[in-house]
Amino acid sequence: MKEIMQGNSAIVRGAWEAGVKVAAAYPGTPSSEILKDVADNYPEVYAEWAPNEMVALQVASGAAIAGARSMAAMKHVGMNVAADALMTLAYTGIKGGLMVVIADDPFVHSSQNEQDSRNWARFAKIPLLEPGDAQECYDFAKISFDISEKFDTPVILRTETRVAHSDSLVEPGKRVESKIPLGLDPKEAPKYVMVPAHVRVRRKIIEERMRKLEEYADTFKYNVMEINDPSVGVITSGVSYMYTKDVFPEWSYLKLGMVWPLPKKMIAEFFKKVKKVIIVEELDPFIETEIKAMGYKIWHGKDLIPNMYELTPEIVEKCLKGKKYKEPKIKVKPEDLPRRPPNLCAGCSHRPLFYALKKLGAFVFGDIGCYTLAVAPPLQALHTCICMGAGGGMAHGAMKALGKEGLGKVVAVLGDSTFLHSGIAPLMNAVYNKGNSTTIVLDNRITGMTGHQEHAGTGFTVRQEPTNMVDYMEIGKALGVKSIRYLDPYNIKECMEIIKEEMSKNVPSLLLCKDSPCMLLRRAKPLEKFKNPLYMINTDKCRGCKVCLEINCPAISWRESAGQTKDGHKRKGTVYINPDQCVGCEVCVQVCKFEAIVPGKK
């Protein structure tokens, strides 16, 4: 019986049926649901959150070399971290099947850049499959393990936001265990130890493997030719096929399930069967470049289809119809919709800390996480965000450039999960190289932005089993940091004093936010630390100065209404605290100079 599944769930289902034994991942939108689905629904599979994508791929590849079918999942920028392993795994090959799921984020809904992960396949010389809906996510996941074992190579399964998060019908089957016996053989060292003498041998094997994969691509059952109207033929893949087929069902198609290597004979046959060829693909001209390099002349490709952001059926239709395109009637104009810019949650511990940093005038080297939202007005207290773990290294570099002129002016911030992902090495580097930068770990006890995934600092595994919990203070000591202090981000005055003092020191310092769990982390009971359940405005005292609006709390809004305070101060309006949103964190109380914010009752 068919079931409705999300793309990410269908990948997991396919992997489970293929006999996967080990799965590892680091969360990142739009791939985060994959490992949680494994942990929640498939007890036969060992699952773990790794501290970063590199470790996740190492874990999965170790299991594969031991003979187990295994998978690693990550978002597109995660592969930048894992690439060092992937590039050499292409040389060593595997034993049990190894699938690497990479989820791209066209239009950058939740990322720091827009990458096309198809390029990794060409770069690493490994096959890549690209599903277009949940059924294909399921099918491609299953067959990727067969391909991996048949050709002794990792296989990339590339999805993107719409495929990963869209639901469609899937016809599931039963789990079949792998027939490959588990075990490690020391005699296989020449295959897995990549010293130059072995690399040169494996390098030839890679080229031979790619030739065999090219032949296989021409027989791959998910590379499908649909000959309809032969006047126009479209070569496409994944979600781009869905969009184009939806708009131009009458055209002929060569839908590629295996995007690398390309099926050269099938492409040649398609060019013979249609008069004009259009290539429709999201992001880079990956297929187009390869087909042009084969010597074929295409009618249209990236001359009409944009090479950035997401495609939609409307964009494809508009690009290919040109002047004949008719705009659909718009029932609601986007500008008429209420604006809801992303914001930190009410009561979030990051808000008062960034308010303190703004008041100090610090230049803040930021990182990847919820706290990136501090870049938006009115906080505007984050000044760089490049990649995971970058803030610490950049702050150190800036201080080396500025010398003593930088003292008291520079700080790096990153979350607890990011610190464990890639923030420890920059801190170690700052100590080793006699730096003087200040690093603040915004410890909210969870991986917040991607939906509350556990990590080595939370004390729980992905299946909520209690486990060891990293002590950040001890890590700092082990790295040689001499100045390590806790701070309470909800105490703005104390925060400013401690941060100012640490930024002025001519040695590396580490500040750890304490007792500041994510507001949505129920097990940490974050509201219990606040003495009042909520606050409200005393309109007799509110002068309408708007200072409390500078903290950008979603519970606080402005109400335009001329009047005056009880003691006669004229005003143009007052602020309002929504009792349904206020959690009683008292941050607004601390910034009000007129004692106009007072305890309220639920």
Side-chain angles (χ1 to χ4, degrees):
M1 179 185 292
K2 290 187 176 181
E3 300 177 17
I4 295 176
M5 290 188 191
Q6 187 192 65
N8 280 339
S9 296
I11 290 172
V12 175
R13 178 71 191 199
W16 176 78
E17 290 185 20
V20 160
K21 289 185 179 295
V22 174
Y26 184 80
T29 307
S31 71
S32 302
E33 298 86 359
I34 292 174
L35 193 82
K36 188 175 187 307
D37 199 282
V38 174
D40 289 349
N41 300 309
Y42 302 101
E44 300 87 350
V45 183
Y46 169 76
E48 70 171 41
W49 287 122
N52 61 40
E53 297 84 355
M54 168 71 88
V55 177
L57 183 53
Q58 291 167 348
V59 170
S61 61
I65 288 173
R69 287 190 164 186
S70 57
M71 59 184 282
M74 60 201 72
K75 68 181 297 176
H76 63 296
V77 288
M79 180 44 67
N80 301 343
V81 180
D84 201 14
L86 182 76
M87 298 300 287
T88 304
L89 283 167
Y91 280 69
T92 66
I94 44 78
K95 186 185 295 179
L98 174 58
M99 175 176 69
V100 183
V101 182
I102 310 176
D104 285 3
D105 184 18
F107 199 64
V108 203
H109 295 282
S110 182
S111 305
Q112 65 269 38
N113 67 29
E114 186 183 66
Q115 295 177 194
D116 189 333
S117 293
R118 295 177 299 173
N119 293 298
W120 285 113
R122 178 166 47 197
F123 192 20
K125 299 180 183 294
I126 58 179
L128 182 144
L129 309 183
E130 186 180 13
D133 61 13
Q135 180 66 55
E136 288 191 344
C137 285
Y138 164 86
D139 291 333
F140 290 12
K142 286 186 73 172
I143 203 169
S144 69
F145 293 98
D146 297 333
I147 296 171
S148 178
E149 290 169 0
K150 179 179 176 69
F151 295 96
D152 190 19
T153 176
V155 173
I156 294 176
L157 183 74
R158 184 247 187 180
T159 68
E160 51 85 74
T161 305
R162 302 303 172 187
V163 174
H165 287 166
S166 294
D167 289 30
S168 59
L169 287 170
V170 174
E171 186 163 7
K174 295 181 180 178
R175 177 176 171 89
V176 177
E177 299 294 341
S178 170
K179 296 180 180 177
I180 295 178
L182 297 177
L184 295 167
D185 185 356
K187 294 178 182 177
E188 291 184 319
K191 183 173 186 291
Y192 296 119
V193 180
M194 286 301 96
V195 294
H198 298 167
V199 170
R200 293 175 193 125
V201 174
R202 298 298 302 177
R203 183 71 183 85
K204 292 180 180 177
I205 292 173
I206 288 178
E207 292 305 314
E208 179 59 28
R209 183 175 69 203
M210 287 306 298
R211 280 192 286 273
K212 292 178 179 176
L213 278 164
E214 286 180 5
E215 294 173 3
Y216 176 77
D218 279 316
T219 63
F220 185 58
K221 64 179 181 179
Y222 296 108
N223 287 335
V224 179
M225 198 181 300
E226 302 171 5
I227 301 300
N228 301 307
D229 178 358
S231 64
V232 179
V234 179
I235 301 178
T236 183
S237 62
V239 75
S240 300
Y241 165 81
M242 301 296 179
Y243 296 156
T244 314
K245 181 78 173 179
D246 187 51
V247 180
F248 302 105
E250 73 279 11
W251 287 354
S252 296
Y253 288 87
L254 174 55
K255 179 186 180 300
L256 302 175
M258 177 179 278
V259 173
W260 189 257
L262 291 171
K264 293 181 178 178
K265 291 181 180 177
M266 189 176 281
I267 290 170
E269 185 181 352
F270 189 68
F271 268 88
K272 291 177 181 176
K273 292 188 174 182
V274 298
K275 291 183 179 178
K276 294 180 287 189
V277 170
I278 299 172
I279 296 175
V280 180
E281 53 188 328
E282 210 166 48
L283 301 180
D284 293 346
F286 182 85
I287 299 172
E288 181 176 333
T289 300
E290 291 297 323
I291 288 180
K292 284 181 175 177
M294 294 175 197
Y296 295 108
K297 186 178 180 181
I298 64 169
W299 187 34
H300 288 301
K302 288 299 176 186
D303 57 324
L304 297 179
I305 304 295
N307 67 350
M308 63 182 78
Y309 309 148
E310 283 187 308
L311 295 182
T312 64
E314 291 77 18
I315 290 173
V316 172
E317 183 179 9
K318 186 174 184 179
C319 291
L320 296 183
K321 283 188 175 177
K323 294 180 179 178
K324 295 180 180 178
Y325 175 75
K326 294 182 179 179
E327 294 276 357
K329 290 184 179 179
I330 298 176
K331 296 180 179 178
V332 180
K333 296 179 180 177
E335 54 269 27
D336 292 338
L337 297 172
R339 295 190 176 187
R340 299 175 59 192
N343 193 1
L344 297 167
C345 299
C348 176
S349 61
H350 301 339
R351 176 174 290 104
L353 185 101
F354 279 104
Y355 182 80
L357 290 170
K358 182 178 182 179
K359 287 298 178 184
L360 288 169
F363 188 95
V364 181
F365 285 91
D367 231 294
I368 309 297
C370 295
Y371 40 92
T372 312
L373 297 172
V375 70
L379 281 176
Q380 294 178 297
L382 190 111
H383 306 108
T384 71
C385 175
I386 304 299
C387 67
M388 296 285 282
M394 295 175 76
H396 170 67
M399 291 300 290
K400 285 295 183 184
L402 296 172
K404 292 186 177 179
E405 288 296 315
L407 288 175
K409 301 175 182 175
V410 174
V411 68
V413 299
L414 75 173
D416 44 333
S417 182
T418 309
F419 181 66
L420 296 173
H421 180 286
S422 49
I424 296 174
L427 180 60
M428 177 174 63
N429 180 62
V431 176
Y432 169 64
N433 286 302
K434 302 179 179 180
N436 52 9
S437 54
T438 298
T439 300
I440 305 176
V441 178
L442 310 175
D443 181 11
N444 64 0
R445 317 309 294 175
I446 201 73
T447 311
M449 196 170 200
T450 47
H452 282 197
Q453 292 79 20
E454 307 292 349
H455 59 67
T458 68
F460 294 92
T461 69
V462 66
R463 289 194 163 108
Q464 301 301 299
E465 301 156 338
T467 185
N468 182 62
M469 183 166 63
V470 165
D471 186 322
Y472 303 109
M473 175 71 81
E474 293 301 319
I475 286 180
K477 289 178 183 177
L479 297 179
V481 183
K482 302 301 181 187
S483 184
I484 310 176
R485 300 169 71 177
Y486 288 112
L487 79 168
D488 178 3
Y490 291 104
N491 187 329
I492 296 175
K493 182 181 178 184
E494 181 186 280
C495 256
M496 292 179 66
E497 291 172 353
I498 292 175
I499 295 171
K500 184 178 181 181
E501 188 178 325
E502 294 301 318
M503 285 197 303
S504 299
K505 289 181 178 177
N506 197 22
V507 294
S509 59
L510 175 63
L511 299 177
L512 305 170
C513 290
K514 190 177 182 181
D515 298 330
S516 51
C518 174
M519 280 294 107
L520 304 177
L521 187 60
R522 293 182 178 179
R523 72 168 180 239
K525 301 177 179 178
L527 303 184
E528 289 189 358
K529 71 171 294 173
F530 305 137
K531 61 184 179 184
N532 292 301
L534 63 86
Y535 283 82
M536 55 184 292
I537 299 298
N538 182 342
T539 53
D540 288 341
K541 291 185 175 180
C542 180
R543 296 192 182 186
C545 67
K546 299 184 180 179
V547 169
C548 58
L549 294 175
E550 293 180 10
I551 62 174
N552 202 27
C553 176
I556 304 177
S557 57
W558 174 251
R559 287 181 169 180
E560 196 87 28
S561 177
Q564 63 181 25
T565 61
K566 191 173 182 179
D567 56 359
H569 287 277
K570 291 184 178 179
R571 64 192 179 198
K572 295 182 179 178
T574 61
V575 293
Y576 169 72
I577 297 179
N578 185 335
D580 293 329
Q581 289 186 285
C582 180
V583 297
C585 70
E586 290 191 8
V587 172
C588 56
V589 177
Q590 296 176 62
V591 304
C592 179
K593 299 177 181 178
F594 306 106
E595 298 180 341
I597 302 177
V598 296
K601 293 182 179 179
K602 286 285 185 184

